[in-house]
Amino acid sequence: MTIVCPTPVAAIDRVQLGHGSGGKMSAALLRERFLPAFRNDILAQLGDAAIIDVAGQSLAISTDTFVVQPLEFPGGNIGSLAVHGTVNDLGMMGADPRWLSAGFVLEEGLPLEVLDRVVHAMAAAAQEAGVLLVTGDTKVVERGKADGIFINTTGVGVRYADFAPAPPRAQPGDAVIVSGLIGQHGIAIMSAREGLTFESEVMSDSAALTPLVRALRQRVGDGVHTLRDPTRGGLASALNEIAVAAGVGIMLEETMVPVPAPVSAACEMLGFDPLYVANEGVLVAFIAESCADDAVKALRAHPLGRAATQIGRCVREHPGLVALHTGVGGTRVVDMLPGDQLPRIC
Amino acid sequence: MKYLSEYRDPAVARALVTEIKRSATRRWVLMEVCGGQTHTIVKQGLDELLNEAVEMVHGPGCPVCVTPLEQIDKALALASRPDVIFTSFGDMLRVPGSECDLLAVRARGGAVKIVYSPLDALELARKHPDKQVVFFAVGFETTAPANAMAVWRAKQLGVKNFSVLVSHVTVPPAMMALLESPDNRVQGFLAAGHVCTIMGWTEYEPIAAKYKVPIVVTGFEPLDILEGMLLAVRQLEEGRHEVENQYVRSVRRDGNQPAQDLVSQVFELVDRSWRGIGPIPRSGLGVRAEFAEFDAERKFAVDGIRTAEPTICRAGDVLRGVLKPFDCPAFGTLCTPEHPLGAPMVSSEGACAAYYNYGRFRNGAPV
Amino acid sequence: MCLGIPGRIVEIHDTQGLPMGVVDFGGVRREVCLAYVKDEIQPGDYAIVHVGFAISKVDEAEAKRTFEVLREMSQLDELKWMEGLAT
């Protein structure tokens, strides 16, 4: 039978915003356009950071570019985000972050006092995270070409011999544990966007997760199989990536996922699913079953991890797929979104 | 959240599921009209829980899915104009037209903005007097009062650079078209609770009587849907075919009169083509002559755009409830949310997308 | 097709002749047009809000009554459900 349809498949010949949202389009862009050009074993790992060996010392390198709008939002600004993001990518590979570089693209016309606030926030975040900003670069582009400020940070961290969490290491039986309340960063950003503005007390959770990583390393050690910070695309996207990388299934319990009431309320209003909303101060950990309780205790001992809780487990069934037991007793698949989550009226 | 969370109580849900299963002496075929209801059913796995007692068939209750190709093409033409800021609800942005979608137009430099409310679009027009702001007025009867108010207010305030591209549809004609269809299997309906909040339920009484189908006006939370299904099943078991109201906290028999009044002032009933179904007479709303200056079709002369729908398209069968998404040969293979062939796969409310995203877990194993 | 959620009217005002209000949705607040419910509501009442417009006042008495009926049913059924689990 031939399917004839009023809608031919739209040929995408240009970059779209969805390519940057951390969902399926982003993954496709990476797979189809970037990876074929830069083939090597280190890149092929596709972890949050690359692991390299320099004279017997294992190091992690990670890079991230920050283009957030608005530049300043409840709970932070693009500067603090730029430090936390890269510091956390290093942490997710088990490394202690030590040094950062920062590249700035500034838009002509940006008020210098905004730049000052961004730079001061970066400095404060770096100091708190125990990292040194050791080199940088600045460029200025014409008005209209850079949305205020774009920042790229690249970080280097030092790894420990016996601590090597990585996405492919997740295995059936592992506890899936989240370190805190989810959905805060994405909603804080949304509340300040033109056309959607609403008042809420939600602040971005942007923070360096280094102390939590350290706590897990010291308490659980090699029982920590995988760590990931669920940023763009939210918890759902991060879990999908790990399920595919490790070839495991994941089963979540809806009632265990900790969503704070204001995030829940904002999501109801916009028609968003909190599982897909970005976080900048939360990690998800895949921990060997026998160490799960210790892991939760270790996280809860730190202010950033007070709300840590197990939300599910890895299973042998449906490898590569994330599923959820719903509050009312049904089951559903938690898929990766194609692109950005769109506010809906339906 | 008050008046929301209580309607997700798992204990009550289990009780309702048990009661529905106990009441049904045979498997009944029910249709929920509204995309928001489809979303809850599939997201919560309700149809899977009740599979033995009820077959849920998903109706054309997604204005995004049923917006005719022609209107999308007009939207794309308007959004591509350099003097236009095209505003829309978020869910319309990925619906494909003949060549591309609004997101692609934005990628090519068109000014396309998501707004939460039509009044936000009007506000944008006031802030940017040098641009033409067009708002994509899509929706069922629920959204018509909001869109009507934006137009009425624009006239009242003398805003000259605001207009609406209308693609409104109304539910009762579509229900009747479905019931008239020779391959109709639906025995009872869950009517859309927010459509009825505006319109009341008087229009459904003659439908229930003529076609002898129970129609239960139902809300959107899991307990609402389950209670609505229970009431429908009970009617079917008892051989009754009445209009009943489950969504008592929001719906009254006569609906919202001020809202209906403003809608009749600004809009009039017109013939409308439903994507995948075809033309249904007097099933849509168009802008009245008195407000012609706010009708984007007349203002920008895009009413000449004609797009032919091919006669064969499975999307129509899905929208009419004749075909289940996963029975379609293209489902999940040729047609996925990233490369949708038809509207029900694009819209997050569409039956196909709902099934792809949520419902691939049948009988405990993913499809 | 109609994402409408309940919110509590916090404050009512008039914007150039249009009745508007601030509505609280479980901690999130937004400006909402109250033109379609203006004769029925006052601060403290709940309304269903769709795309920035209040479309109905939540009938709290009806809501309470229905919910009590449902709860009662669930308590009777809870026993049966637990029995079912035990087998």
Side-chain angles (χ1 to χ4, degrees), chain B residues 3 34 36 117 120 140 142-143 145 153 194 249-250 252 256, chain C residues 1-2 15-16 30 36 50-51 55-57 59-60 66-67 81:
Chain B
Y3 297 117
C34 176
S117 167
D120 293 337
F140 279 86
T142 323
T143 321
R153 190 76 172 143
H194 290 142
R249 60 190 187 276
S250 179
R252 279 120 225 155
N256 186 317
Chain C
M1 82 209 80
C2 308
T15 305
Q16 287 176 272
R30 219 200 178 263
Y36 296 129
H50 170 71
V51 300
I55 57 174
S56 67
K57 175 183 164 181
D59 189 328
E60 306 195 39
T66 318
F67 197 66
W81 175 75

PDB file of all heavy atoms in Angstrom, chain B residues 3 34 36 117 120 140 142-143 145 153 194 249-250 252 256, chain C residues 1-2 15-16 30 36 50-51 55-57 59-60 66-67 81:
ATOM      1  N   TYR B   3      -7.659  21.917  42.809  1.00  0.00           N
ATOM      2  CA  TYR B   3      -8.578  21.573  41.718  1.00  0.00           C
ATOM      3  C   TYR B   3      -7.835  20.931  40.557  1.00  0.00           C
ATOM      4  O   TYR B   3      -8.357  20.812  39.462  1.00  0.00           O
ATOM      5  CB  TYR B   3      -9.374  22.793  41.241  1.00  0.00           C
ATOM      6  CG  TYR B   3     -10.257  23.342  42.322  1.00  0.00           C
ATOM      7  CD1 TYR B   3     -10.080  24.621  42.815  1.00  0.00           C
ATOM      8  CD2 TYR B   3     -11.241  22.544  42.897  1.00  0.00           C
ATOM      9  CE1 TYR B   3     -10.867  25.104  43.842  1.00  0.00           C
ATOM     10  CE2 TYR B   3     -12.032  23.015  43.930  1.00  0.00           C
ATOM     11  CZ  TYR B   3     -11.841  24.299  44.403  1.00  0.00           C
ATOM     12  OH  TYR B   3     -12.611  24.776  45.424  1.00  0.00           O
ATOM     13  N   CYS B  34     -11.340  15.427  22.413  1.00  0.00           N
ATOM     14  CA  CYS B  34     -10.345  16.474  22.598  1.00  0.00           C
ATOM     15  C   CYS B  34      -8.908  15.980  22.699  1.00  0.00           C
ATOM     16  O   CYS B  34      -8.628  15.029  23.415  1.00  0.00           O
ATOM     17  CB  CYS B  34     -10.691  17.221  23.874  1.00  0.00           C
ATOM     18  SG  CYS B  34      -9.489  18.454  24.255  1.00  0.00           S
ATOM     19  N   GLY B  36      -6.450  17.239  24.245  1.00  0.00           N
ATOM     20  CA  GLY B  36      -5.955  17.295  25.617  1.00  0.00           C
ATOM     21  C   GLY B  36      -6.340  16.047  26.389  1.00  0.00           C
ATOM     22  O   GLY B  36      -5.583  15.547  27.218  1.00  0.00           O
ATOM     23  N   SER B 117      -0.860  34.126  24.933  1.00  0.00           N
ATOM     24  CA  SER B 117      -2.232  34.621  24.821  1.00  0.00           C
ATOM     25  C   SER B 117      -2.368  35.548  23.615  1.00  0.00           C
ATOM     26  O   SER B 117      -1.427  36.270  23.285  1.00  0.00           O
ATOM     27  CB  SER B 117      -2.558  35.404  26.098  1.00  0.00           C
ATOM     28  OG  SER B 117      -3.744  36.158  25.937  1.00  0.00           O
ATOM     29  N   ASP B 120      -1.254  39.010  24.164  1.00  0.00           N
ATOM     30  CA  ASP B 120       0.191  39.270  24.075  1.00  0.00           C
ATOM     31  C   ASP B 120       0.554  39.686  22.653  1.00  0.00           C
ATOM     32  O   ASP B 120       1.431  40.522  22.444  1.00  0.00           O
ATOM     33  CB  ASP B 120       1.007  38.016  24.432  1.00  0.00           C
ATOM     34  CG  ASP B 120       0.866  37.625  25.896  1.00  0.00           C
ATOM     35  OD1 ASP B 120       0.536  38.504  26.714  1.00  0.00           O
ATOM     36  OD2 ASP B 120       1.087  36.442  26.216  1.00  0.00           O
ATOM     37  N   PHE B 140     -10.516  25.455  18.783  1.00  0.00           N
ATOM     38  CA  PHE B 140     -11.928  25.115  18.797  1.00  0.00           C
ATOM     39  C   PHE B 140     -12.703  26.248  19.452  1.00  0.00           C
ATOM     40  O   PHE B 140     -12.177  27.357  19.611  1.00  0.00           O
ATOM     41  CB  PHE B 140     -12.136  23.796  19.547  1.00  0.00           C
ATOM     42  CG  PHE B 140     -11.851  22.599  18.696  1.00  0.00           C
ATOM     43  CD1 PHE B 140     -10.569  22.100  18.572  1.00  0.00           C
ATOM     44  CD2 PHE B 140     -12.867  21.969  18.005  1.00  0.00           C
ATOM     45  CE1 PHE B 140     -10.303  20.994  17.776  1.00  0.00           C
ATOM     46  CE2 PHE B 140     -12.620  20.864  17.210  1.00  0.00           C
ATOM     47  CZ  PHE B 140     -11.333  20.380  17.100  1.00  0.00           C
ATOM     48  N   THR B 142     -13.274  26.788  22.388  1.00  0.00           N
ATOM     49  CA  THR B 142     -12.663  27.247  23.642  1.00  0.00           C
ATOM     50  C   THR B 142     -11.824  28.493  23.449  1.00  0.00           C
ATOM     51  O   THR B 142     -11.778  29.357  24.321  1.00  0.00           O
ATOM     52  CB  THR B 142     -11.706  26.184  24.192  1.00  0.00           C
ATOM     53  OG1 THR B 142     -12.234  24.887  23.942  1.00  0.00           O
ATOM     54  CG2 THR B 142     -11.464  26.377  25.669  1.00  0.00           C
ATOM     55  N   THR B 143     -11.117  28.532  22.339  1.00  0.00           N
ATOM     56  CA  THR B 143     -10.159  29.613  22.106  1.00  0.00           C
ATOM     57  C   THR B 143     -10.786  30.787  21.367  1.00  0.00           C
ATOM     58  O   THR B 143     -10.236  31.891  21.365  1.00  0.00           O
ATOM     59  CB  THR B 143      -8.962  29.054  21.298  1.00  0.00           C
ATOM     60  OG1 THR B 143      -8.653  27.752  21.774  1.00  0.00           O
ATOM     61  CG2 THR B 143      -7.715  29.917  21.489  1.00  0.00           C
ATOM     62  N   PRO B 145     -13.357  32.767  22.023  1.00  0.00           N
ATOM     63  CA  PRO B 145     -13.606  33.998  22.784  1.00  0.00           C
ATOM     64  C   PRO B 145     -12.343  34.819  23.025  1.00  0.00           C
ATOM     65  O   PRO B 145     -12.382  36.049  23.009  1.00  0.00           O
ATOM     66  CB  PRO B 145     -14.165  33.494  24.126  1.00  0.00           C
ATOM     67  CG  PRO B 145     -14.706  32.136  23.840  1.00  0.00           C
ATOM     68  CD  PRO B 145     -13.851  31.570  22.757  1.00  0.00           C
ATOM     69  N   ARG B 153     -10.803  44.239  20.858  1.00  0.00           N
ATOM     70  CA  ARG B 153      -9.984  45.190  21.595  1.00  0.00           C
ATOM     71  C   ARG B 153      -9.130  46.030  20.648  1.00  0.00           C
ATOM     72  O   ARG B 153      -8.936  47.225  20.853  1.00  0.00           O
ATOM     73  CB  ARG B 153      -9.078  44.385  22.533  1.00  0.00           C
ATOM     74  CG  ARG B 153      -8.313  45.162  23.538  1.00  0.00           C
ATOM     75  CD  ARG B 153      -9.150  45.618  24.687  1.00  0.00           C
ATOM     76  NE  ARG B 153      -8.261  46.206  25.695  1.00  0.00           N
ATOM     77  CZ  ARG B 153      -8.565  47.256  26.433  1.00  0.00           C
ATOM     78  NH1 ARG B 153      -9.740  47.821  26.311  1.00  0.00           N
ATOM     79  NH2 ARG B 153      -7.704  47.708  27.330  1.00  0.00           N
ATOM     80  N   HIS B 194     -13.658  21.799  27.943  1.00  0.00           N
ATOM     81  CA  HIS B 194     -13.477  23.250  27.867  1.00  0.00           C
ATOM     82  C   HIS B 194     -14.231  23.866  26.707  1.00  0.00           C
ATOM     83  O   HIS B 194     -14.651  25.024  26.778  1.00  0.00           O
ATOM     84  CB  HIS B 194     -11.982  23.608  27.847  1.00  0.00           C
ATOM     85  CG  HIS B 194     -11.326  23.349  29.176  1.00  0.00           C
ATOM     86  ND1 HIS B 194     -10.059  22.843  29.324  1.00  0.00           N
ATOM     87  CD2 HIS B 194     -11.802  23.521  30.441  1.00  0.00           C
ATOM     88  CE1 HIS B 194      -9.783  22.724  30.624  1.00  0.00           C
ATOM     89  NE2 HIS B 194     -10.815  23.124  31.315  1.00  0.00           N
ATOM     90  N   ARG B 249     -17.479  21.014  37.760  1.00  0.00           N
ATOM     91  CA  ARG B 249     -16.846  22.168  38.399  1.00  0.00           C
ATOM     92  C   ARG B 249     -16.616  23.313  37.402  1.00  0.00           C
ATOM     93  O   ARG B 249     -16.309  24.435  37.821  1.00  0.00           O
ATOM     94  CB  ARG B 249     -15.530  21.788  39.090  1.00  0.00           C
ATOM     95  CG  ARG B 249     -14.436  21.191  38.216  1.00  0.00           C
ATOM     96  CD  ARG B 249     -13.320  20.653  39.099  1.00  0.00           C
ATOM     97  NE  ARG B 249     -12.164  20.203  38.353  1.00  0.00           N
ATOM     98  CZ  ARG B 249     -12.036  19.009  37.798  1.00  0.00           C
ATOM     99  NH1 ARG B 249     -13.019  18.125  37.889  1.00  0.00           N
ATOM    100  NH2 ARG B 249     -10.925  18.688  37.147  1.00  0.00           N
ATOM    101  N   SER B 250     -16.771  23.032  36.107  1.00  0.00           N
ATOM    102  CA  SER B 250     -16.546  24.103  35.135  1.00  0.00           C
ATOM    103  C   SER B 250     -17.679  24.306  34.125  1.00  0.00           C
ATOM    104  O   SER B 250     -17.814  25.397  33.572  1.00  0.00           O
ATOM    105  CB  SER B 250     -15.247  23.829  34.370  1.00  0.00           C
ATOM    106  OG  SER B 250     -15.010  24.818  33.401  1.00  0.00           O
ATOM    107  N   ARG B 252     -21.596  24.476  32.694  1.00  0.00           N
ATOM    108  CA  ARG B 252     -23.037  24.611  32.936  1.00  0.00           C
ATOM    109  C   ARG B 252     -23.751  24.411  31.617  1.00  0.00           C
ATOM    110  O   ARG B 252     -23.157  24.616  30.553  1.00  0.00           O
ATOM    111  CB  ARG B 252     -23.366  26.022  33.471  1.00  0.00           C
ATOM    112  CG  ARG B 252     -23.104  26.178  34.954  1.00  0.00           C
ATOM    113  CD  ARG B 252     -22.079  27.264  35.250  1.00  0.00           C
ATOM    114  NE  ARG B 252     -21.136  26.786  36.222  1.00  0.00           N
ATOM    115  CZ  ARG B 252     -19.889  27.241  36.364  1.00  0.00           C
ATOM    116  NH1 ARG B 252     -19.439  28.199  35.601  1.00  0.00           N
ATOM    117  NH2 ARG B 252     -19.096  26.736  37.273  1.00  0.00           N
ATOM    118  N   ASN B 256     -20.902  29.767  28.728  1.00  0.00           N
ATOM    119  CA  ASN B 256     -20.521  31.133  29.097  1.00  0.00           C
ATOM    120  C   ASN B 256     -21.130  32.120  28.104  1.00  0.00           C
ATOM    121  O   ASN B 256     -20.654  32.254  26.979  1.00  0.00           O
ATOM    122  CB  ASN B 256     -18.990  31.230  29.128  1.00  0.00           C
ATOM    123  CG  ASN B 256     -18.500  32.574  29.632  1.00  0.00           C
ATOM    124  OD1 ASN B 256     -19.023  33.629  29.256  1.00  0.00           O
ATOM    125  ND2 ASN B 256     -17.488  32.547  30.482  1.00  0.00           N
TER     126      ASN B 256
ATOM    127  N   MET C   1      -7.842  19.642  23.663  1.00  0.00           N
ATOM    128  CA  MET C   1      -7.417  20.730  22.789  1.00  0.00           C
ATOM    129  C   MET C   1      -7.378  22.010  23.520  1.00  0.00           C
ATOM    130  O   MET C   1      -7.214  23.077  22.975  1.00  0.00           O
ATOM    131  CB  MET C   1      -8.383  20.878  21.632  1.00  0.00           C
ATOM    132  CG  MET C   1      -9.591  21.642  21.950  1.00  0.00           C
ATOM    133  SD  MET C   1     -10.936  21.127  20.993  1.00  0.00           S
ATOM    134  CE  MET C   1     -11.456  19.708  21.824  1.00  0.00           C
ATOM    135  N   CYS C   2      -7.643  21.925  24.795  1.00  0.00           N
ATOM    136  CA  CYS C   2      -7.857  23.186  25.473  1.00  0.00           C
ATOM    137  C   CYS C   2      -7.177  23.107  26.822  1.00  0.00           C
ATOM    138  O   CYS C   2      -7.765  22.692  27.795  1.00  0.00           O
ATOM    139  CB  CYS C   2      -9.333  23.390  25.650  1.00  0.00           C
ATOM    140  SG  CYS C   2     -10.138  23.188  24.063  1.00  0.00           S
ATOM    141  N   THR C  15      -7.902  47.542  33.010  1.00  0.00           N
ATOM    142  CA  THR C  15      -6.859  48.098  32.136  1.00  0.00           C
ATOM    143  C   THR C  15      -7.544  48.762  30.955  1.00  0.00           C
ATOM    144  O   THR C  15      -7.992  48.083  30.037  1.00  0.00           O
ATOM    145  CB  THR C  15      -5.929  46.976  31.633  1.00  0.00           C
ATOM    146  OG1 THR C  15      -5.408  46.285  32.755  1.00  0.00           O
ATOM    147  CG2 THR C  15      -4.778  47.542  30.811  1.00  0.00           C
ATOM    148  N   GLN C  16      -7.654  50.062  30.991  1.00  0.00           N
ATOM    149  CA  GLN C  16      -8.321  50.818  29.929  1.00  0.00           C
ATOM    150  C   GLN C  16      -9.669  50.219  29.565  1.00  0.00           C
ATOM    151  O   GLN C  16      -9.971  49.982  28.398  1.00  0.00           O
ATOM    152  CB  GLN C  16      -7.456  50.861  28.660  1.00  0.00           C
ATOM    153  CG  GLN C  16      -6.254  51.771  28.777  1.00  0.00           C
ATOM    154  CD  GLN C  16      -5.399  51.696  27.517  1.00  0.00           C
ATOM    155  OE1 GLN C  16      -4.519  50.850  27.400  1.00  0.00           O
ATOM    156  NE2 GLN C  16      -5.680  52.557  26.562  1.00  0.00           N
ATOM    157  N   ARG C  30       0.153  35.229  36.900  1.00  0.00           N
ATOM    158  CA  ARG C  30       0.081  35.834  35.584  1.00  0.00           C
ATOM    159  C   ARG C  30      -1.117  36.749  35.469  1.00  0.00           C
ATOM    160  O   ARG C  30      -2.120  36.554  36.141  1.00  0.00           O
ATOM    161  CB  ARG C  30      -0.040  34.725  34.530  1.00  0.00           C
ATOM    162  CG  ARG C  30       0.763  35.064  33.308  1.00  0.00           C
ATOM    163  CD  ARG C  30       0.343  34.303  32.101  1.00  0.00           C
ATOM    164  NE  ARG C  30       1.138  34.739  30.991  1.00  0.00           N
ATOM    165  CZ  ARG C  30       0.764  35.648  30.084  1.00  0.00           C
ATOM    166  NH1 ARG C  30      -0.420  36.192  30.153  1.00  0.00           N
ATOM    167  NH2 ARG C  30       1.569  35.991  29.117  1.00  0.00           N
ATOM    168  N   TYR C  36     -14.830  37.576  30.732  1.00  0.00           N
ATOM    169  CA  TYR C  36     -15.889  36.590  30.560  1.00  0.00           C
ATOM    170  C   TYR C  36     -16.431  36.034  31.868  1.00  0.00           C
ATOM    171  O   TYR C  36     -17.361  35.232  31.861  1.00  0.00           O
ATOM    172  CB  TYR C  36     -15.417  35.452  29.649  1.00  0.00           C
ATOM    173  CG  TYR C  36     -15.106  35.918  28.245  1.00  0.00           C
ATOM    174  CD1 TYR C  36     -13.903  35.617  27.635  1.00  0.00           C
ATOM    175  CD2 TYR C  36     -16.027  36.694  27.526  1.00  0.00           C
ATOM    176  CE1 TYR C  36     -13.615  36.047  26.348  1.00  0.00           C
ATOM    177  CE2 TYR C  36     -15.751  37.140  26.248  1.00  0.00           C
ATOM    178  CZ  TYR C  36     -14.543  36.813  25.662  1.00  0.00           C
ATOM    179  OH  TYR C  36     -14.272  37.245  24.392  1.00  0.00           O
ATOM    180  N   HIS C  50      -7.630  29.686  30.229  1.00  0.00           N
ATOM    181  CA  HIS C  50      -7.164  29.155  28.932  1.00  0.00           C
ATOM    182  C   HIS C  50      -6.597  30.315  28.123  1.00  0.00           C
ATOM    183  O   HIS C  50      -7.274  31.322  27.950  1.00  0.00           O
ATOM    184  CB  HIS C  50      -8.355  28.496  28.216  1.00  0.00           C
ATOM    185  CG  HIS C  50      -8.090  28.115  26.789  1.00  0.00           C
ATOM    186  ND1 HIS C  50      -7.262  27.077  26.436  1.00  0.00           N
ATOM    187  CD2 HIS C  50      -8.560  28.625  25.623  1.00  0.00           C
ATOM    188  CE1 HIS C  50      -7.237  26.971  25.116  1.00  0.00           C
ATOM    189  NE2 HIS C  50      -8.019  27.893  24.589  1.00  0.00           N
ATOM    190  N   VAL C  51      -5.387  30.158  27.636  1.00  0.00           N
ATOM    191  CA  VAL C  51      -4.637  31.193  26.887  1.00  0.00           C
ATOM    192  C   VAL C  51      -4.822  32.596  27.448  1.00  0.00           C
ATOM    193  O   VAL C  51      -5.009  33.572  26.717  1.00  0.00           O
ATOM    194  CB  VAL C  51      -4.925  31.172  25.355  1.00  0.00           C
ATOM    195  CG1 VAL C  51      -4.545  29.819  24.775  1.00  0.00           C
ATOM    196  CG2 VAL C  51      -6.354  31.511  25.006  1.00  0.00           C
ATOM    197  N   ILE C  55     -12.274  31.389  31.701  1.00  0.00           N
ATOM    198  CA  ILE C  55     -13.447  30.977  30.930  1.00  0.00           C
ATOM    199  C   ILE C  55     -14.588  30.476  31.807  1.00  0.00           C
ATOM    200  O   ILE C  55     -15.715  30.341  31.345  1.00  0.00           O
ATOM    201  CB  ILE C  55     -13.112  29.926  29.851  1.00  0.00           C
ATOM    202  CG1 ILE C  55     -12.446  28.682  30.457  1.00  0.00           C
ATOM    203  CG2 ILE C  55     -12.223  30.542  28.790  1.00  0.00           C
ATOM    204  CD1 ILE C  55     -12.233  27.557  29.437  1.00  0.00           C
ATOM    205  N   SER C  56     -14.301  30.159  33.061  1.00  0.00           N
ATOM    206  CA  SER C  56     -15.389  29.782  33.971  1.00  0.00           C
ATOM    207  C   SER C  56     -14.910  29.936  35.395  1.00  0.00           C
ATOM    208  O   SER C  56     -13.713  29.898  35.675  1.00  0.00           O
ATOM    209  CB  SER C  56     -15.829  28.335  33.737  1.00  0.00           C
ATOM    210  OG  SER C  56     -14.802  27.448  34.116  1.00  0.00           O
ATOM    211  N   LYS C  57     -15.875  30.126  36.285  1.00  0.00           N
ATOM    212  CA  LYS C  57     -15.548  30.122  37.708  1.00  0.00           C
ATOM    213  C   LYS C  57     -15.652  28.677  38.159  1.00  0.00           C
ATOM    214  O   LYS C  57     -16.603  27.970  37.808  1.00  0.00           O
ATOM    215  CB  LYS C  57     -16.566  30.988  38.443  1.00  0.00           C
ATOM    216  CG  LYS C  57     -16.391  30.958  39.947  1.00  0.00           C
ATOM    217  CD  LYS C  57     -17.464  31.783  40.651  1.00  0.00           C
ATOM    218  CE  LYS C  57     -17.491  31.423  42.132  1.00  0.00           C
ATOM    219  NZ  LYS C  57     -18.516  32.169  42.857  1.00  0.00           N
ATOM    220  N   ASP C  59     -16.797  25.875  40.249  1.00  0.00           N
ATOM    221  CA  ASP C  59     -17.898  25.709  41.191  1.00  0.00           C
ATOM    222  C   ASP C  59     -17.403  24.829  42.332  1.00  0.00           C
ATOM    223  O   ASP C  59     -17.364  23.599  42.215  1.00  0.00           O
ATOM    224  CB  ASP C  59     -19.085  25.069  40.466  1.00  0.00           C
ATOM    225  CG  ASP C  59     -20.338  25.070  41.314  1.00  0.00           C
ATOM    226  OD1 ASP C  59     -20.218  24.977  42.555  1.00  0.00           O
ATOM    227  OD2 ASP C  59     -21.440  25.141  40.749  1.00  0.00           O
ATOM    228  N   GLU C  60     -16.991  25.482  43.421  1.00  0.00           N
ATOM    229  CA  GLU C  60     -16.326  24.741  44.486  1.00  0.00           C
ATOM    230  C   GLU C  60     -17.245  23.749  45.176  1.00  0.00           C
ATOM    231  O   GLU C  60     -16.823  22.663  45.570  1.00  0.00           O
ATOM    232  CB  GLU C  60     -15.708  25.722  45.495  1.00  0.00           C
ATOM    233  CG  GLU C  60     -14.806  26.723  44.786  1.00  0.00           C
ATOM    234  CD  GLU C  60     -13.874  27.491  45.693  1.00  0.00           C
ATOM    235  OE1 GLU C  60     -13.335  26.903  46.643  1.00  0.00           O
ATOM    236  OE2 GLU C  60     -13.692  28.704  45.440  1.00  0.00           O
ATOM    237  N   THR C  66     -18.631  16.124  44.105  1.00  0.00           N
ATOM    238  CA  THR C  66     -18.167  15.052  43.221  1.00  0.00           C
ATOM    239  C   THR C  66     -17.007  14.337  43.825  1.00  0.00           C
ATOM    240  O   THR C  66     -16.910  13.118  43.798  1.00  0.00           O
ATOM    241  CB  THR C  66     -17.685  15.615  41.885  1.00  0.00           C
ATOM    242  OG1 THR C  66     -18.564  16.610  41.451  1.00  0.00           O
ATOM    243  CG2 THR C  66     -17.554  14.522  40.851  1.00  0.00           C
ATOM    244  N   PHE C  67     -16.084  15.107  44.371  1.00  0.00           N
ATOM    245  CA  PHE C  67     -14.890  14.495  44.890  1.00  0.00           C
ATOM    246  C   PHE C  67     -15.196  13.593  46.070  1.00  0.00           C
ATOM    247  O   PHE C  67     -14.593  12.528  46.229  1.00  0.00           O
ATOM    248  CB  PHE C  67     -13.823  15.531  45.240  1.00  0.00           C
ATOM    249  CG  PHE C  67     -12.490  14.885  45.377  1.00  0.00           C
ATOM    250  CD1 PHE C  67     -11.869  14.321  44.271  1.00  0.00           C
ATOM    251  CD2 PHE C  67     -11.891  14.745  46.610  1.00  0.00           C
ATOM    252  CE1 PHE C  67     -10.671  13.658  44.380  1.00  0.00           C
ATOM    253  CE2 PHE C  67     -10.674  14.084  46.723  1.00  0.00           C
ATOM    254  CZ  PHE C  67     -10.067  13.544  45.616  1.00  0.00           C
ATOM    255  N   TRP C  81      -9.348  -3.995  46.228  1.00  0.00           N
ATOM    256  CA  TRP C  81      -8.065  -3.907  45.535  1.00  0.00           C
ATOM    257  C   TRP C  81      -6.980  -4.601  46.346  1.00  0.00           C
ATOM    258  O   TRP C  81      -6.182  -5.357  45.806  1.00  0.00           O
ATOM    259  CB  TRP C  81      -7.720  -2.433  45.290  1.00  0.00           C
ATOM    260  CG  TRP C  81      -6.378  -2.205  44.698  1.00  0.00           C
ATOM    261  CD1 TRP C  81      -6.000  -2.419  43.410  1.00  0.00           C
ATOM    262  CD2 TRP C  81      -5.213  -1.735  45.382  1.00  0.00           C
ATOM    263  NE1 TRP C  81      -4.682  -2.096  43.240  1.00  0.00           N
ATOM    264  CE2 TRP C  81      -4.182  -1.669  44.437  1.00  0.00           C
ATOM    265  CE3 TRP C  81      -4.947  -1.349  46.700  1.00  0.00           C
ATOM    266  CZ2 TRP C  81      -2.891  -1.234  44.754  1.00  0.00           C
ATOM    267  CZ3 TRP C  81      -3.671  -0.924  47.017  1.00  0.00           C
ATOM    268  CH2 TRP C  81      -2.663  -0.879  46.045  1.00  0.00           C
TER     269      TRP C  81
END
